[in-house]
């Protein structure tokens, strides 16, 4: 299989420029693929799918006639991101998560941003994800959003934009980790020689984030991953992460509130739980506080949470930042709380609750993407240029009936990546979901989940809508690593050059180890930094001259 007939067709391509030349970092991969014997790449693709099946890497499909579970489609041609681009993404995501945390804390306490009319008060208070029960809550160390999956897209100009924030129960990271293991076996020499930044530290980072939430009086916290159960679409991920971290996988029926604490039922009696990584929406956590008909939660757990005797990640109430109408105001939040310009811009967004925006949307439904404010998984959405007149008329009526519930955005020419289709390559649209952990520091996994719209011409990448995944390689080049190491940062970077000679790997590894040791001994002059209300310092720095209000 060759790339000689592969066409970018005017889209930004993740592996090739407009002239068909491999982008920096992709040369070695493309050379290797084109050197493979006939049908060998297809054999590798089939072997990768078999490996994922054996790993049990599945997700549930609600209402499917094909069964309750299926393998998430996986394409073995990785998506490659240069380290220069990744540095911008990492800084922008850290900035965004920090500002969103300040916003959530503010609206459940003083509501200063609403009083100053930076964000419309009625927009926030009318959101279906605003939880009045969370007013006055004080999460451990002032952190609300511990695990975030932020969806990014790249337009035809090569620039990244934030499509939406996922701060309740973001899923997909297990596929990142499993995809990486498969790709390392599929292209071992290319992977080793390309300086791909690792992702396998994520479970340890997640565990450290959860341990950071435990009460200070608890020296060895007991942690549980709270799952709705085996019929949830992401059950594989819940069990996978629990196993990787070495913690308990529990359902609501396994837990009970007693004497002001939360306990897990075991064969040896009740055992106290200190931290819960919940994969359960707010509404179902506690039938005494939220939905009284919930059979999935733990009655009384919110009282224990308020008393500080149990920690939860993410904190209840974070869903307000998932509201797609609230999303439109994140750049204002960054300016308000941090007095900084936004590093990663939003996709331009029309708020249908605003009369002027609504008139524009209704007049241009054939050109815009319309989204329901609190839907996910590709549901409640209309892509105007691909919609029928009947679909556009339907959404016009929905917008007029409930304008608060809808936003609209221009149709973005999502970047594409080469994907195996039959016996050749075709471009398919992709997005990117990096995963961010907020503990003692803000950690951004290098890469994340690249989702692929497998249907030709489709812009919908969601797995529930027929999308698939790719491994995401953040490539270190020598020049990028030198730039990164010379900046005010506390991260050490590899200095591997892309090489065709695998015999040089051992020498490079020794050199890297020496460089990393030297870098780690250098004094870190970057400031440590912003403060959240009533909490400790957090290792996050963007602009040393600005402090949060």
């Amino acid at each position: 299989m060759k790339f000689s007939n592969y066409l970018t067709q005017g889209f930004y391509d993740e592996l090739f420029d407009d002239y068909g030349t491999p982008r920096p970092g992709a040369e070695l991969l493309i050379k290797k693929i084109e050197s493979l014997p006939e049908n060998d790449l297809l054999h590798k693709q089939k072997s990768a799918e078999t490996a994922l099946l054996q790993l049990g890497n599945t997700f549930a499909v609600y209402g499917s006639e094909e069964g309750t579970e299926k393998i998430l489609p996986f394409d073995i041609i990785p998506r490659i991101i240069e380290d220069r681009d990744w540095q911008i993404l990492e800084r922008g995501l850290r900035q965004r998560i920090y500002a969103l945390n300040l916003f959530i804390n503010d609206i459940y306490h003083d509501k200063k941003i609403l009083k100053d009319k930076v964000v419309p008060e009625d927009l926030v208070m009318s959101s279906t994800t605003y939880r009045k029960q969370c007013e006055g809550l004080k999460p451990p160390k002032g952190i609300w959003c511990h695990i975030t999956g932020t969806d990014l897209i790249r337009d035809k100009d090569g620039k990244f934009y934030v499509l939406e924030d996922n701060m309740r129960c973001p899923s997909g990271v297990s596929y990142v980790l499993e995809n990486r293991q498969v790709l390392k076996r599929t292209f071992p020499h290319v992977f080793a020689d390309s300086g791909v930044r690792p992702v396998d530290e994520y479970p340890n980072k997640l565990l450290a984030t959860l341990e950071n939430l435990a009460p200070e009086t608890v020296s060895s916290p007991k942690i549980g991953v709270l799952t709705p159960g085996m019929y949830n679409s992401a059950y594989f991920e819940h069990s996978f992460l629990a196993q990787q971290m070495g913690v308990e996988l529990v359902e609501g029926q396994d837990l009970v509130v007693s004497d002001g604490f939360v306990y897990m039922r075991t064969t040896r009696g009740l055992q106290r739980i200190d931290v819960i990584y919940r994969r359960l929406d707010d509404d179902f956590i506690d039938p005494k506080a939220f939905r009284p008909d919930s059979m999935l939660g733990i009655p009384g757990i919110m009282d224990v949470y308020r008393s500080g005797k149990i920690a939860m990640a993410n904190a209840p109430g974070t869903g307000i930042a998932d509201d797609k109408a609230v999303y439109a105001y994140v750049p204002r939040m960054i300016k308000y709380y941090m007095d900084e310009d936004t590093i990663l811009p939003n996709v331009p967004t029309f708020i249908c609750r605003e009369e002027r925006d609504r008139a524009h949307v209704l007049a241009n439904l054939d050109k815009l993407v319309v989204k329901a404010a609190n839907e996910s998984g590709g549901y409640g959405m209309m892509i105007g240029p691909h919609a029928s007149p009947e679909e556009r008329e339907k959404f016009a009526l929905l917008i007029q009936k409930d304008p608060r519930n809808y936003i609209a955005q221009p149709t973005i020419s999502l970047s594409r990546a080469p994907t195996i289709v039959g016996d050749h390559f075709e471009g398919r649209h992709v997005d990117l979901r990096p995963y961010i952990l907020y503990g003692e520091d803000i950690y951004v996994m290098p890469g994340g989940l690249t989702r692929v719209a497998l249907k030709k011409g489709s812009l919908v990448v969601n797995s529930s809508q027929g999308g698939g995944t790719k491994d995401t390689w953040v490539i270190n080049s020598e020049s990028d690593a030198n730039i990164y190491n010379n900046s005010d940062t506390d991260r050490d970077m590899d200095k591997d050059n892309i090489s065709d000679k695998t015999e040089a790997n051992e020498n490079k590894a020794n050199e890297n180890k020496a460089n990393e040791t030297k870098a780690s001994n250098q004094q870190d002059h970057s400031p440590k930094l912003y403060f959240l209300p009533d909490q400790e310092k957090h290792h996050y720095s963007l602009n040393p001259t600005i402090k949060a209000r």
Side-chain angles (χ1 to χ4, degrees):
M1 294 177 67
K2 308 293 183 183
F3 289 100
S4 55
N5 295 322
Y6 179 75
L7 301 174
T8 61
Q9 297 179 317
F11 295 98
Y12 185 96
D13 192 88
E14 298 292 338
L15 294 190
F16 294 94
D17 64 19
D18 293 341
Y19 302 99
T21 304
R23 295 192 183 278
E27 303 98 326
L28 188 58
L29 173 69
I30 292 168
K31 181 179 179 181
K32 174 63 177 178
I33 290 173
E34 294 199 318
S35 70
L36 292 173
E38 186 177 0
N39 295 325
D40 193 58
L41 187 65
L42 295 178
H43 175 73
K44 289 180 180 293
Q45 173 69 41
K46 187 174 181 179
S47 297
E49 293 170 354
T50 301
L52 291 172
L53 178 63
Q54 292 172 343
L55 289 168
N57 198 338
T58 64
F59 71 101
V61 185
Y62 303 131
S64 172
E65 297 180 357
E66 301 173 1
T68 58
E69 293 188 35
K70 63 180 291 187
I71 300 297
L72 188 63
F74 174 63
D75 184 79
I76 63 170
I77 310 302
R79 185 237 194 101
I80 291 178
I81 299 177
E82 289 184 75
D83 194 63
R84 293 177 185 275
D85 289 338
W86 184 252
Q87 290 177 36
I88 297 172
L89 293 181
E90 187 174 39
R91 288 176 52 239
L93 290 168
R94 286 161 65 93
Q95 179 196 55
R96 190 176 185 93
I97 298 310
Y98 193 83
L100 282 168
N101 193 83
L102 290 172
F103 168 72
I104 297 169
N105 191 74
D106 185 15
I107 64 160
Y108 285 121
H109 289 90
D110 298 331
K111 298 179 172 59
K112 292 180 180 178
I113 198 168
L114 306 183
K115 295 173 183 175
D116 289 342
K117 303 186 184 304
V118 177
V119 176
E121 182 173 1
D122 68 301
L123 178 77
V124 172
M125 305 308 289
S126 65
S127 174
T128 60
T129 55
Y130 182 82
R131 296 290 177 264
K132 189 172 179 62
Q133 301 92 326
C134 296
E135 291 182 354
L137 282 183
K138 295 183 178 180
K141 302 182 180 179
I143 306 173
W144 292 76
C145 45
H146 312 92
I147 302 104
T148 305
T150 300
D151 292 342
L152 307 174
I153 59 173
R154 201 199 297 249
D155 199 1
K156 59 185 177 182
D157 59 1
K159 188 174 183 178
F160 280 99
Y161 294 84
V162 176
L163 186 63
E164 63 181 53
D165 303 288
N166 299 283
M167 307 184 75
R168 281 175 287 185
C169 306
S171 62
V173 73
S174 61
Y175 302 112
V176 177
L177 300 173
E178 295 284 29
N179 290 352
R180 175 57 56 84
Q181 292 304 312
V182 170
L183 255 290
K184 287 169 72 173
R185 295 193 293 269
T186 303
F187 300 114
H189 297 304
V190 176
F191 186 88
D193 292 347
S194 294
V196 182
R197 292 182 60 181
V199 297
D200 52 6
E201 64 180 349
Y202 181 87
N204 289 335
K205 293 282 189 181
L206 176 58
L207 180 60
T209 300
L210 298 174
E211 290 176 335
N212 183 59
L213 300 179
E216 294 181 0
T217 56
V218 179
S219 58
S220 182
K222 192 72 173 178
I223 299 171
V225 176
L226 177 61
T227 176
M230 63 179 295
Y231 295 108
N232 183 266
S233 62
Y235 182 72
F236 165 80
E237 176 160 297
H238 306 165
S239 57
F240 174 85
L241 291 175
Q243 185 271 332
Q244 290 291 303
M245 291 189 289
V247 304
E248 303 291 341
L249 179 67
V250 296
E251 297 181 30
Q253 61 187 358
D254 301 322
L255 304 178
V256 62
V257 171
S258 179
D259 300 326
F261 293 93
V262 177
Y263 293 91
M264 176 178 62
R265 294 184 173 96
T266 74
T267 56
R268 298 183 300 275
L270 297 179
Q271 185 175 13
R272 180 176 162 182
I273 289 281
D274 304 294
V275 181
I276 290 176
Y277 174 23
R278 65 181 183 96
R279 299 300 297 262
L280 198 63
D281 281 347
D282 290 348
D283 283 343
F284 301 97
I285 295 173
D286 184 347
K288 288 186 175 181
F290 299 105
R291 282 184 54 164
D293 61 341
S294 172
M295 303 293 289
L296 302 174
I298 307 97
I301 194 173
M302 284 298 292
D303 290 334
V304 182
Y305 184 73
R306 289 189 188 91
S307 72
K309 295 177 181 177
I310 187 75
M312 283 192 277
N314 285 338
T318 55
I320 184 62
D322 281 6
D323 188 303
K324 292 179 177 62
V326 173
Y327 146 94
Y329 292 88
V330 174
R332 296 189 190 182
M333 296 176 198
I334 292 172
K335 193 68 176 178
Y336 179 79
Y337 293 116
M338 303 166 69
D339 197 20
E340 295 179 351
D341 294 330
T342 303
I343 297 172
L344 289 178
N346 281 9
V347 175
T349 303
F350 299 98
I351 308 296
C352 291
R353 65 183 289 277
E354 302 290 342
E355 185 176 350
R356 183 175 178 181
D357 282 9
R358 184 167 64 253
H360 175 81
V361 171
L362 292 173
N364 293 276
L365 284 175
D366 60 330
K367 305 180 184 68
L368 300 171
V369 177
V370 179
K371 300 177 182 179
N374 289 291
E375 292 283 352
S376 60
Y379 297 104
M381 180 173 71
M382 182 203 71
I383 301 176
H386 298 168
S388 65
E390 292 76 18
E391 287 177 298
R392 291 197 288 268
E393 183 178 352
K394 172 187 173 182
F395 269 80
L397 294 173
L398 290 171
I399 291 169
Q400 291 169 332
K401 182 179 179 180
D402 186 11
R404 164 63 180 82
N405 193 44
Y406 290 92
I407 66 164
Q409 298 170 329
T411 306
I412 301 295
S413 300
L414 270 65
S415 64
R416 300 199 314 184
T419 303
I420 298 174
V421 179
D423 60 353
H424 62 286
F425 301 110
E426 290 185 11
R428 291 293 186 265
H429 293 292
V430 296
D431 77 350
L432 177 65
R433 176 177 290 184
Y435 295 89
I436 306 99
L437 298 176
Y438 195 164
E440 290 187 356
D441 194 358
I442 298 179
Y443 163 78
V444 184
M445 172 193 276
L449 184 67
T450 288
R451 301 186 297 178
V452 190
L454 293 176
K455 297 177 182 177
K456 188 171 184 177
S458 174
L459 298 174
V460 182
V461 299
N462 306 83
S463 58
S464 57
Q465 304 290 307
T469 66
K470 286 176 173 285
D471 192 17
T472 309
W473 291 6
V474 176
I475 298 289
N476 288 338
S477 68
E478 183 175 25
S479 59
D480 289 338
N482 287 335
I483 291 171
Y484 205 96
N485 284 331
N486 289 333
S487 66
D488 287 335
T489 180
D490 56 3
R491 298 189 63 89
D492 299 323
M493 307 293 290
D494 288 335
K495 293 184 178 180
D496 285 353
N497 293 318
I498 295 177
S499 172
D500 293 325
K501 301 178 181 180
T502 59
E503 63 267 20
N505 287 347
E506 184 175 350
N507 292 335
K508 287 182 179 180
N510 292 333
E511 179 183 350
N512 287 342
K513 185 175 182 180
N515 288 338
E516 289 173 1
T517 301
K518 180 180 178 181
S520 66
N521 291 330
Q522 293 176 346
Q523 184 178 358
D524 179 13
H525 296 288
S526 61
K528 302 280 193 295
L529 1 159
Y530 298 124
F531 291 83
L532 291 181
D534 303 321
Q535 71 169 56
E536 301 175 354
K537 289 183 179 181
H538 286 269
H539 301 277
Y540 167 68
S541 176
L542 289 168
N543 185 334
T545 64
I546 303 298
K547 291 183 179 179
R549 296 185 182 183

